[in-house]
Amino acid sequence: HTSYLRAVAFCPDGGAIASSSNDKTVRIWSASDGSLLRTLEGHTSEVHSVAYSPDGSVVATGSDDKKVRIFSASDGGLLSTLEG
């Protein structure tokens, strides 16, 4: 990350860790060796929260841009954006 961290979350299977930051991104890291697996982008402001779904297949993020973005944990693809 290039700015302050805001939140971290462990994937339920223990294999990955997600971190959110003021740099408007979420990064997914390998829990075993700390390598960066992927970067989730799309927010236009600081990302304050991150959470995995119970099965670990989806990552939800919340930002100061007043949006919740839902990403695929496996490939980082944006699945949906919630706003309003």
Side-chain angles (χ1 to χ4, degrees):
H1 288 289
T2 59
S3 190
Y4 298 108
L5 291 178
R6 303 300 295 196
V8 296
F10 271 93
C11 183
D13 69 7
I17 301 167
S19 59
S20 66
S21 171
N22 281 2
D23 68 6
K24 307 174 190 173
T25 69
V26 171
R27 295 190 181 189
I28 308 296
W29 309 88
S30 168
S32 62
D33 66 12
S35 64
L36 178 63
L37 300 175
R38 68 193 51 82
T39 301
L40 309 180
E41 298 177 306
H43 283 291
T44 59
S45 192
E46 294 86 356
V47 184
H48 289 276
S49 60
V50 60
Y52 278 93
S53 62
D55 68 0
S57 67
V58 174
V59 177
T61 63
S63 169
D64 274 352
D65 64 12
K66 303 177 185 173
K67 295 177 183 171
V68 174
R69 293 187 183 268
I70 310 296
F71 296 91
S72 166
S74 63
D75 65 12
L78 180 63
L79 301 174
S80 64
T81 302
L82 311 175
E83 57 185 306

